[in-house]
């Protein structure tokens, strides 16, 4: 066996990882390295993988003073002494975390705790890091000794490149990553998300398990392949693989009864036994087939979620904070405080499951209703302005119910003066509740001639094919799914989902769906492209029975 076998129990190790054929890695080009990692170039050679890990981790930009192997040798006896490491309590930042042993022998299993305790000594600023035991256990398979493993983990923790996020080390970072994952599931795994909403009272609690799926439940052969790519491409890979796991779970378990009383436990069991249904290659293939947001966009979404948590005072893992957090997120639509003439509490909770996680922290607040404020577009604007985001609900005289989640303040319409002004972001969407529940992804309104003169607003009634189209985002700028002004970005990053003037409102929906409302708020029209064979939002022309606008209250 090679020099990196000290902590490995080869009876447990995948036989394909024991190849000793002479392979070297000489490339330094990022794109070539990325392809090799995805293809598993070093996955079948234990010694080569160890050398690649050492090379990749050595190249991580770190703090000037980062603990190394010599530090470990100096402190381990002072911290551990002659005591059995298994009897020592773990630091709070990994307390209750799953500690996988993978294919480690007894010496390797004992080394995990020793390294965790030494890291706690050297990194007092770490407050929450549930992935750490798994990372240590994995790297022990490819380390000559404990000190080398300690040094590699320290370099990962001490990375100071702001563009290269690696491991969450605070509760705020971890919880916002869970919210971000929930947002991504909502957008990219809608069928799975629908299942989660149906079988779980606490959807975010299910999604808060996402790192455990990777750093705890995944078998060794799988997490090692994920880690190969993670060291090259960074944090985004983790989101990709977790989304792929959820997609496979839904595909394999769809229509089957739950195996336990908890969807959380079912997903964990599925991930543990994933070898029964999905190979590592197929898992990665699925992960990289997802057309995910760019790294920059995910960072912006993470920042927005962190800000929302900070505003709620949720920055540390304390029972009181967690209780408040769970109540805010999962009981936001309180039955005793909620009253709508259009939707029930259950239907509002269904809508709440679609909105971005950072706003799911808030409670619904009725801003405008035609039953109380009358059918006036000017009053609609006056009651809606100053609130961002808002929720538009419409009930027609034919008992159809539809609506839209609108991410941007309606006051933005004034930027165009008297012209029809376009604004909004890609987080907007339209939906239908009756006769059937359906959410439509967003598209950009493309009707620039409407903005040229105010008199041309009469042209709005033309078919959807001329007003709406699915749009890809230019590669040289951010995809406009977040409000540009939230992050001091150029205004050109804003999309065109909403349009408003003194004469009408247009809300562009997904899959060719759009709502057009007249100034008197009595009549409306929809436009629909059959590109995706979706059911229309509601009747092509309809009369409004009730219209409500809801805001989001802390």
């Amino acid at each position: 066996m090679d020099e990196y076998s000290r902590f490995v129990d080869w009876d447990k190790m995948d036989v394909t990882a024991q190849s000793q054929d002479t392979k070297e890695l000489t490339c330094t080009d990022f794109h070539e390295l990325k392809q090799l990692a995805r293809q598993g170039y070093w996955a079948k050679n234990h010694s080569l993988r160890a050398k690649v890990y050492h090379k990749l981790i050595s190249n991580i930009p770190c703090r000037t003073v980062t603990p190394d192997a010599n530090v470990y040798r100096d402190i381990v006896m002072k911290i551990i002494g002659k005591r059995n490491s298994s009897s020592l309590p773990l630091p709070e930042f990994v307390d209750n975390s799953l500690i996988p042993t993978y294919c480690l022998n007894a010496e390797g299993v004992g080394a995990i705790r020793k390294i965790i305790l030494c890291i706690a000594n050297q990194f007092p600023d770490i407050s929450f890091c549930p992935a750490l035991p798994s990372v240590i256990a994995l790297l022990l398979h490819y380390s000559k000794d404990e000190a080398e493993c300690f040094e590699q983990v320290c370099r990962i923790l001490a990375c100071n490149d702001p563009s290269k996020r690696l491991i969450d080390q605070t509760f705020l970072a971890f919880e916002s990553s869970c919210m971000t994952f929930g947002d991504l599931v909502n957008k990219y795994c809608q069928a799975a998300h629908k299942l989660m909403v149906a079988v779980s009272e606490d959807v975010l609690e299910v999604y808060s398990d996402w790192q455990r799926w990777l750093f705890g439940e995944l078998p060794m052969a799988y997490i090692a392949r994920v880690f190969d790519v993670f060291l090259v491409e960074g944090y985004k890979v983790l989101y990709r693989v977790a989304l792929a796991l959820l997609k496979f779970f839904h595909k394999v378990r769809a229509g089957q009864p739950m195996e336990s009383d908890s969807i959380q436990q079912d997903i964990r069991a599925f991930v543990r036994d994933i070898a029964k249904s999905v190979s590592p290659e197929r898992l990665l293939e699925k992960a990289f087939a997802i057309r995910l947001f760019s790294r920059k966009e995910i960072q912006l979404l993470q920042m927005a979620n962190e800000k929302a948590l900070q505003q709620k005072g949720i920055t540390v893992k304390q029972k009181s904070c967690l209780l408040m957090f769970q109540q805010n997120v999962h009981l936001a639509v309180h039955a005793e405080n909620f009253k709508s003439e259009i939707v029930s509490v259950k239907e509002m909770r269904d809508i709440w499951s679609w909105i971005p996680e950072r706003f799911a922290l808030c409670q619904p607040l009725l801003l405008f209703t035609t039953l109380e404020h009358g059918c006036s577009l000017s009053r609609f604007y006056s009651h809606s302005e100053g609130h961002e985001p808002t929720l538009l609900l419409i009930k027609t005289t034919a008992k159809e119910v539809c609506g839209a989640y609108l991410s941007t303040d309606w006051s933005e319409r004034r930027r165009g003066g008297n012209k029809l002004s376009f604004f909004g972001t890609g987080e907007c969407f339209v939906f239908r509740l009756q006769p059937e529940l359906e959410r439509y992804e967003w598209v950009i309104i493309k009707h620039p001639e409407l903005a040229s003169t105010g008199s041309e607003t009469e042209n709005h009634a033309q078919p959807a094919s001329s007003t709406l189209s699915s749009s890809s985002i230019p590669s040289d700028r951010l995809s406009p799914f977040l409000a540009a002004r939230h992050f001091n970005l150029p205004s050109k990053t804003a999309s065109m989902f909403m349009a408003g003037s003194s004469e009408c409102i247009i809300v562009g929906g997904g899959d060719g769906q759009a709502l057009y409302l007249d100034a008197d708020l009595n009549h409306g029209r929809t436009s629909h492209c059959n590109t995706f064979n979706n059911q229309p939002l509601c009747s092509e022309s309809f009369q409004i029975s009730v219209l409500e606008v809801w805001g989001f209250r802390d």
Side-chain angles (χ1 to χ4, degrees):
M1 294 299 174
D2 59 51
E3 58 186 329
Y4 300 100
S5 300
R6 175 175 172 178
F7 303 112
V8 178
D9 183 342
W10 285 102
D11 292 334
K12 300 177 183 177
M13 200 74 166
D14 183 359
V15 67
T16 61
Q18 301 182 36
S19 170
Q20 297 299 314
D21 59 325
T22 55
K23 287 172 94 175
E24 296 294 334
L25 183 70
T26 57
C27 79
T28 56
D29 178 72
F30 172 76
H31 295 289
E32 184 180 354
L33 198 60
K34 182 170 75 171
Q35 289 305 313
L36 291 175
R38 292 186 180 190
Q39 293 165 9
Y41 179 80
W42 51 81
K44 295 184 179 181
N45 186 303
H46 187 82
S47 179
L48 178 60
R49 179 180 260 159
K51 293 173 182 176
V52 171
Y53 280 5
H54 181 78
K55 179 179 179 180
L56 293 175
I57 294 172
S58 296
N59 290 332
I60 293 175
C62 295
R63 304 170 191 168
T64 305
V65 180
T66 298
D68 59 14
N70 290 326
V71 170
Y72 182 82
R73 296 185 185 101
D74 289 340
I75 66 174
V76 66
M77 285 305 295
K78 299 174 185 176
I79 295 172
I80 309 298
K82 296 181 179 180
R83 294 172 293 177
N84 187 333
S85 61
S86 63
S87 65
L88 298 176
L90 288 173
E92 288 188 4
F93 63 73
V94 295
D95 193 27
N96 296 324
S97 297
L98 192 64
I99 302 180
T101 57
Y102 299 128
C103 303
L104 293 174
N105 56 27
E107 184 183 6
V109 172
I112 298 174
R113 280 180 172 262
K114 292 166 67 176
I115 294 172
I116 290 175
L117 290 167
C118 290
I119 284 174
N121 175 268
Q122 294 294 302
F123 289 84
D125 52 334
I126 296 179
S127 59
F128 194 73
C129 193
L132 185 61
S134 174
V135 173
I136 292 173
L138 179 62
L139 287 175
L140 275 169
H141 292 77
Y142 304 99
S143 301
K144 296 177 182 178
D145 54 31
E146 295 173 10
E148 182 179 87
C149 180
F150 170 84
E151 179 174 326
Q152 291 187 341
V153 176
C154 286
R155 291 195 65 83
I156 292 173
L157 293 171
C159 175
N160 62 359
D161 183 350
S163 67
K164 191 168 186 176
R165 179 178 179 176
L166 293 177
I167 296 179
D168 296 329
Q169 299 175 43
T170 66
F171 182 71
L172 178 63
F174 171 80
E175 201 61 50
S176 63
S177 78
C178 296
M179 293 170 66
T180 301
F181 180 69
D183 288 328
L184 296 177
V185 173
N186 203 350
K187 183 169 181 64
Y188 295 103
C189 305
Q190 291 187 23
H193 182 65
K194 189 174 181 179
L195 173 64
M196 299 302 118
V197 172
V199 301
S200 174
E201 294 181 0
D202 197 342
V203 177
L204 187 56
E205 185 179 350
V206 176
Y207 296 152
S208 293
D209 245 12
W210 79 278
Q211 288 195 27
R212 177 178 173 139
W213 304 341
L214 304 174
F215 295 112
E217 305 294 357
L218 265 185
M220 173 69 187
Y222 291 75
I223 186 58
R225 286 295 306 276
V226 173
F227 206 73
D228 292 347
V229 191
F230 166 73
L231 286 178
V232 177
E233 300 186 41
Y235 200 90
K236 183 179 174 181
V237 170
L238 305 182
Y239 283 132
R240 284 187 175 280
V241 177
L243 290 170
L245 286 171
L246 200 57
K247 281 178 175 285
F248 277 122
F249 172 80
H250 178 261
K251 180 180 179 180
V252 172
R253 296 290 178 84
Q256 298 182 13
M258 290 177 58
E259 295 185 354
S260 71
D261 295 333
S262 165
I263 190 70
Q264 270 185 297
Q265 296 300 328
D266 276 15
I267 297 175
R268 290 175 183 178
F270 171 79
V271 175
R272 278 196 301 273
D273 298 329
I274 193 170
K276 295 178 181 178
S277 52
V278 182
S279 68
E281 292 75 20
R282 183 73 185 98
L283 177 63
L284 289 179
E285 181 184 330
K286 186 76 167 180
F288 291 108
I290 300 171
R291 297 178 63 86
L292 201 59
F293 290 138
S294 71
R295 185 176 289 104
K296 178 68 173 178
E297 292 163 338
I298 291 176
Q299 287 176 346
L300 293 178
L301 188 54
Q302 186 94 13
M303 287 165 52
N305 286 332
E306 284 193 9
K307 182 178 179 182
L309 288 169
Q310 288 173 325
Q311 289 173 339
K312 290 287 184 181
I314 302 166
T315 58
V316 294
K317 188 179 181 183
Q318 296 177 345
K319 289 184 178 180
S320 59
C321 286
L322 285 175
L323 180 61
M324 180 182 70
F325 178 60
Q326 291 166 350
Q327 289 174 339
N328 280 325
V329 174
H330 309 298
L331 300 176
V333 186
H334 295 288
E336 63 273 17
N337 298 327
F338 178 77
K339 180 173 173 50
S340 168
E341 299 300 325
I342 300 178
V343 297
S344 65
V345 171
K346 181 186 181 302
E347 287 172 325
M348 195 60 148
R349 284 175 175 166
D350 286 337
I351 297 170
W352 233 244
S353 74
W354 292 333
I355 67 175
E357 294 285 359
R358 62 190 184 279
F359 295 117
L361 295 169
C362 305
Q363 296 181 37
L365 173 67
L366 184 62
L367 303 176
F368 174 86
T369 170
T370 51
L371 294 180
E372 179 181 344
H373 303 104
C375 299
S376 165
L377 187 54
S378 61
R379 283 198 288 273
F380 170 96
Y381 286 138
S382 65
H383 283 82
S384 301
E385 287 176 4
H387 295 271
E388 183 179 279
T390 53
L391 194 67
L392 175 68
L393 297 176
I394 297 171
K395 184 175 184 178
T396 73
T397 54
K399 308 294 184 184
E400 298 167 309
V401 176
C402 61
Y405 170 80
L406 305 170
S407 64
T408 306
D409 192 330
W410 277 105
S411 63
E412 292 289 307
R413 79 187 192 286
R414 296 178 180 174
R415 292 184 176 226
N418 292 324
K419 300 176 182 178
L420 189 68
S421 178
F422 299 96
F423 51 99
T425 76
E427 284 190 317
C428 298
F429 59 86
V430 292
F431 56 87
R432 183 185 65 196
L433 295 178
Q434 299 290 344
E436 293 178 20
L437 189 70
E438 184 156 4
R439 172 188 166 184
Y440 303 88
E441 281 301 304
W442 70 284
V443 295
I444 294 176
I445 298 173
K446 285 194 170 180
H447 208 319
E449 67 272 19
L450 291 178
S452 58
T453 63
S455 62
E456 294 183 23
T457 57
E458 296 295 325
N459 294 330
H460 290 171
Q462 57 186 337
S465 57
S466 66
T467 60
L468 294 172
S469 67
S470 296
S471 176
S472 59
I473 307 303
S475 59
D476 62 342
R477 68 179 190 179
L478 289 175
S479 173
F481 78 105
L482 292 175
R485 62 190 181 82
H486 287 172
F487 305 100
N488 298 317
L489 298 174
S491 59
K492 70 177 182 179
T493 60
S495 69
M496 296 182 294
F497 184 94
M498 307 158 58
S501 70
S502 60
E503 300 180 30
C504 68
I505 287 174
I506 300 178
V507 176
D511 298 343
Q513 303 286 348
L515 274 173
Y516 169 82
L517 304 181
D518 293 332
D520 60 8
L521 296 184
N522 278 318
H523 300 86
R525 292 185 292 280
T526 61
S527 53
H528 172 61
C529 294
N530 293 317
T531 310
F532 300 94
N533 297 317
N534 280 340
Q535 294 297 315
L537 192 60
C538 62
S539 302
E540 186 174 345
S541 179
F542 58 86
Q543 285 189 311
I544 297 173
S545 172
V546 187
L547 182 149
E548 295 176 348
V549 179
W550 292 80
F552 294 74
R553 179 180 61 196
D554 289 340

